[in-house]
Amino acid sequence: MSLDVTQVLLSAQSADGAIRKHAEESLKQFQEQNLPGFLLSLSSELANEEKPEESRRLAGLILKNALDAKEQHRKNELFQRWLALDAGAKAQIKGLLLQTLTSPVASARSTASQVIAKVAGIEIPQKQWPELIGSLLANIHQVQPNVKQATLETLGYLCEEVSPDAVDQDQVNKILTAVVQGMNASEANSDVRLAATRALYNALGFAQVNFSNDMERDYIMRVVCEATQSPEVKIRQAAFECLVAISSTYYDKLATYMQDIFNITAKAVRGDEESVALQAIEFWSSICDEEIDILDEYSSEFTADSDVPCYYFIKQALPALVPMLLETLLKQEEDQDLDEGAWNLAMAGGTCLGLVARTVGDDIVPLVMPFVEENITKSEWRQREAATYAFGSILEGPSADKLAPLVNVALGFMLSALMKDPSNHVKDTTAWTLGRIFEFLHGSALETPPIITAENCQQILTVLLHSMKDVPNVAEKACGALYFLAQGYVDAGSASPLSPFFQDIVQNLLMVTHREDAGESRLRTAAYETLNEVVRCSTEVTAPIVMQLVPVIMVELHQTLETEKLSTDEREKRSELQGLLCGCLQVIIQKLGGMESTKYSFLQYADQMMDLFLRVFACRNATVHEEAMLAIGALAYAAGPNFAKYMAQFYQYLEMGLQNFEEYQVCAITVGVVGDLCRALEDKILPFCDGIMTQLLKDLSSNQLHRSVKPPIFSCFGDIALAIGENFEKYLIYAMPMLQSAADLSAHTTATDDEMLDYTNQLRNGILEAYSGILQGFKSSPKTQLLMPYAPHIIQFLDALYNGKDMDDTVMKTAIGVLGDLADTLGVHAGLLINQSTSSLAFLEECLASDDPLVKESAEWARIAISRAVSG
Amino acid sequence: MAPPPEPRRPYKRPAISDQQRRRELALQAQSARRADAQARARALATSLLTTQAPAAATSRHEEEEEYDEHEEEEHEHELTVAGAAAAAASRLRGSDARRWFARQIMLPEWMVDAPPHLATDWHIFARPSGKRCLVVSSNGMTISRVRNGSILHHFPSALPNGSKRDISGPASSYSILDCIFHEPDETYYIIDMICWRGYSLYDCTAEFRFFWVNSKIAETSAGDPPSTCHRYRFSALPVYDCTLEGLQAAYSGSMPYVKDGLLFYNKHAHYQAGITPLALVWKDENCSQYVIDTDNKGEIPSEQHLVLELLEDGRVVTSDYPPVAFGSLDSAFIQKSNLRPGNLLRFAVRDESVKLVDGKMQIGQLQFVGKPNRARAFADSHSKVLFQYAARHVPLRIEDLVASIQSNSMELESTDVEMQD
């Protein structure tokens, strides 16, 4: 079996599809027949200086893909496969890789760096390849700059792949020393210096100890700051990227450097190349992010003080920082609003200004207003736009008291600018600013006198509806403004000043969706989203108009299903439109199906609507599935038991949704819809339960399914049991062991971070909801006894939760409810167990004394149920 | 791990995605419905009043023995759990619990005949169209529950201790209002007051309670338009003496709300939980959209329908206390149709099988139609069945009410023997 690896690798990059396919087949075969041999020949290819660059690069790439994958479960497989490989082969491969670092060919070196880091990512946590870091560090002392550069690059990738706690502090120190030395101004070769700077970016996470030591930190900071002054633009940019990363990782260590950093960043913002200046601004945005988070924690009364104190860097820098940012606003590019991907100095500066406003609140207003007043009437569009953007940026953060008088004055000006300003750019920003006014300074939650009154509301609407006919980017912002205007009236009831114009608003939005150019600037999406919000905030008075919308949207959805023979691009557009239309129908179903006065007349459309949704399912696209699924859930809830007649046809799609591991959002939504169906159909869901339960159990056992779907699946068990009662009997032997092992796991997880704790609590809540539904489902059934064997474990789970002390209020509420359910369903048998349990009663006492009314309510229920059970 | 590279920040984009919002709203709705379904399963409603309204229970000495279970509950909340010797709540199970909750609200009988002395002894007001509910404010929180016990709203209000902002006196002192939530203007119209700042109004006459509603609502800012700490407006109703003028005002006068019939309250009646003849409801097409009952589809069936509850012994009965049986089902049918005691069942009645004997209705044959809408928590009352029957055949008309008031006033002048009922 001799295979010319070089030739196959070259063929695999051939322009001829047939040749390429054949080559890929051969590679695949080789890999399947002899994995160590395959990997070995690839690494030999990569290391061989006589081979062409193209085949070497591809060899490295295939190696890399044999070691890592995006998907967690595939990744684990590859890790295990590598670890199981013959030690001799692995040693040979690793030797060849290290050898490649000294290659004169840059692309071969770079590919080898990445592969080495992947191998390190697998082996170092297993305490294998202990000599790697030593041999890399030995390379640093070599003379050839290309070896030095490749080695630093490898160290950087290695830090990205390996967790800091897998490496000894001693080795960390050596890595950092090597990297920082490479960054030093004394390093003559700029490729080496750039590689070192980029490596530091990745190595910062390893430097906790070093940043706590004043001398070491001073040294690192000095080298980074010096690198921002390098003659090479790439080095300057990489150095600023390091500063940005330092600002978030080591916020609390920055106080002594802030003055210097301000000077460096100000110089870069004012004079350096854009790529560098953008990172300099990003530094300040990142500081804002940190301070906003810290101040958020300060103000939330339920958590203890933040671990990190706020140093108020932004507040101190304010008098110098704000003028610097305002200058950037004047550096707009022509037509930046037409380019979705645009990101320039003016955009970054404006975004930072908005973050500064959120950080310092009222203090920013006097610093920005003179700039606004001076520029807003200038003849140059850049000045008018910058002034408007500055004003729009500070609307979130400062108090309504401070802003209301300014906005009252500005509103009329803005409305007329949106109608009359000759510049599209100015109009775009003006409409966006109006949207911000409505978002932050309008609505019943505000204490200040309303800015939008019945009098000016009509004028605002006239202007917004007019602007919806403007160029797409302006029209999109006008839709956005209307979205927030409507949202502000969500609590206004029948008094909503929008009611008299409802028909006009709806018609104008529909017109926008039909514009030829609605595909630009996401205009069509914005129009439908606004329509949704307008419907959500509508009242009974305007219900007849919403009712008229039903056939209109249905016809549109129908039309998308009639088109045939589409190109890929057209099909994608059609899917997007179908998603929007299903989303819109979902909102309408919730609205009309939720009001007694409209429900029955609305449900006359149910048959046709269901027919459309089923046809949408036939077009395979994840987003559309999700939207149609959500709409069906809403429809099932509105239709109640009558939904049963659609089940036979709908079931196959429900099952498909539950099998959709890849697009887990679809799976999650479908699980939620099963819950809706249970509540709508009650015992009429029984014929479908075998299929549904089989699928849910498969989902739970799969390690491919995203973990976020698992808690809702458990809750769904509860929904099913509550709907079908004692018929749940046959699923007990499958569901209960799964619940038990998940319960054990979740009770004894010690969460290392907030996200983990959050997930653990979601999981606990799901498990408890399952128990609750099952217990209540069996209540007053002669088969109650079937649950007895499971009761001790449930009590143990509750005890473990109580003793763990890390459940949130939601879990507490559900948990104490389950205790009540146990007592309620199992009566005196549960009473005995509860009396014997270590902490049930203490748990109950604690819940009864809770400040949370829902916990308390649940506890009161449990108390009554337990009293009854204990007394027999 | 190394810090990830900063994502490009959103520029001039609304921070939310509507799709994400739709997803979140759907999830919220699902979890709220799950909680609701669970609450129903637990008949959680039983606990709201056992625990939050002890004073309500203490003040009912005069009530008949059927309520004595509440007397025991007042002590129950003081018992420690460990020693819980299980008070009377233990008797409340399933449909009993549901019926018990229903009995917390004073429910009017349907007016089939006009009572005497309307003008002197009765108040009248137009009933707002909407959901009847009990609103309880305490501990900085206001909760409204509809008759089947599910929560309608959970919100801050300007009622005493109804929001975190406005805690006065002991935070646990509660107020309980009997309201109708009127959807179009999102207002709670107060039809009665059961407790105010922890003291009970059970023992007070209707006349006094109506007076109290007006003055107390004026004292608080509960009548103000909604704000952050006051999500829904509360409003008292115009209550009239049931004279010709009062009847006229309630029947044809313009009200800020959509009417659903007229309510008559005897001035001297105490607040009595459950169905009482001292409060009456009457309606015709002019003052209500819902005179004749509709079926599950919202249509008026050709034959009268009624909803009854199945008992253990197979009898099907009204929601009255004691219940009135209209028939019974044989056990084979119960088994075949998978019915259980406590189930509510919908029946159709042929006109020719109805007989009226001494003001009571007797039905020869009931035809089983199915189970009613599952939001239904209670069977029909006897007077409702009777009213529905009358509405389809010989309705009590507004002219009859007018005539009754006129004859009452004549009666005042003459001291004649009472005319017939």
Side-chain angles (χ1 to χ4, degrees), chain B residues 181-392:
Chain B
F181 182 67
H182 182 251
E183 194 88 46
D185 63 356
E186 300 204 311
T187 297
Y188 281 93
Y189 286 94
I190 305 169
I191 60 174
D192 216 326
M193 185 178 267
I194 304 173
C195 281
W196 187 256
R197 291 192 196 278
Y199 57 86
S200 159
L201 289 148
Y202 271 96
D203 290 335
C204 307
T205 61
E207 197 164 20
F208 178 80
R209 296 198 311 273
F210 289 140
F211 158 75
W212 212 240
V213 169
N214 278 304
S215 52
K216 291 298 153 186
I217 291 306
E219 269 172 31
T220 64
S221 45
D224 290 358
S227 62
T228 324
C229 297
H230 181 53
R231 175 62 184 82
Y232 297 102
R233 198 164 70 95
F234 285 81
S235 175
L237 296 159
V239 178
Y240 308 97
D241 285 336
C242 193
T243 57
L244 280 180
E245 296 74 29
L247 178 67
Q248 173 78 20
Y251 181 71
S252 29
S254 125
M255 298 293 159
Y257 48 83
V258 180
K259 292 181 204 173
D260 180 18
L262 301 178
L263 280 170
F264 299 76
Y265 273 60
N266 187 294
K267 290 181 182 175
H268 313 294
H270 291 188
Y271 195 96
Q272 174 181 346
I275 299 172
T276 168
L278 296 179
L280 296 167
V281 57
W282 174 89
K283 44 177 80 165
D284 70 3
E285 279 80 4
N286 284 326
C287 65
S288 171
Q289 297 168 266
Y290 316 100
V291 178
I292 297 190
D293 268 3
T294 52
D295 61 13
N296 285 356
K297 299 193 188 80
E299 286 155 11
I300 294 183
S302 57
E303 293 175 340
Q304 182 177 350
H305 280 192
L306 60 160
V307 174
L308 299 173
E309 182 175 338
L310 178 65
L311 297 187
E312 298 269 1
D313 59 9
R315 285 188 301 152
V316 285
V317 299
T318 64
S319 62
D320 300 271
Y321 200 92
V324 176
F326 276 136
S328 83
L329 302 180
D330 66 55
S331 54
F333 180 79
I334 294 177
Q335 205 141 34
K336 190 183 83 190
S337 315
N338 194 21
L339 304 176
R340 291 207 190 125
N343 279 167
L344 296 182
L345 310 173
R346 182 181 279 276
F347 295 95
V349 181
R350 285 225 183 81
D351 289 345
E352 55 271 24
S353 73
V354 174
K355 266 193 291 183
L356 291 174
V357 180
D358 296 336
K360 295 272 181 204
M361 197 163 166
Q362 289 181 355
I363 299 173
Q365 202 187 355
L366 290 167
Q367 291 162 280
F368 180 56
V369 177
K371 292 192 181 181
N373 191 319
R374 65 205 182 87
R376 256 316 260 271
F378 309 100
D380 289 335
S381 65
H382 176 264
S383 67
K384 173 160 183 200
V385 176
L386 210 54
F387 184 90
Q388 286 292 323
Y389 180 78
R392 286 169 170 264

Side-chain angles (χ1 to χ4, degrees), chain A residues 160 201-202 282 289 341 428-429 483 494 532-533 626-627 676 679 719 772 821 857 860-861 871, chain B residues 1-2 5 8-9 11-12 16 18-19 21-23 30 33-34 42 51 86 145 184 228 374:
Chain A
E160 205 178 353
Y201 179 89
N202 286 325
E282 186 59 33
D289 285 343
D428 183 297
T429 304
Y483 184 103
S494 53
N532 292 347
E533 192 64 8
E626 192 186 333
E627 294 286 3
D676 281 332
R679 287 178 286 275
D719 297 338
S772 195
D821 294 329
E857 191 179 64
E860 295 287 2
W861 143 257
S871 72
Chain B
M1 283 298 274
R8 178 157 295 184
R9 292 164 188 280
Y11 172 74
K12 277 200 206 172
I16 37 138
D18 197 70
Q19 192 192 5
R21 200 162 128 80
R22 281 199 295 283
R23 206 180 276 149
Q30 282 164 354
R33 287 170 197 157
R34 174 176 298 128
R42 291 171 181 169
T51 55
R145 288 181 188 267
T228 324
R374 65 205 182 87

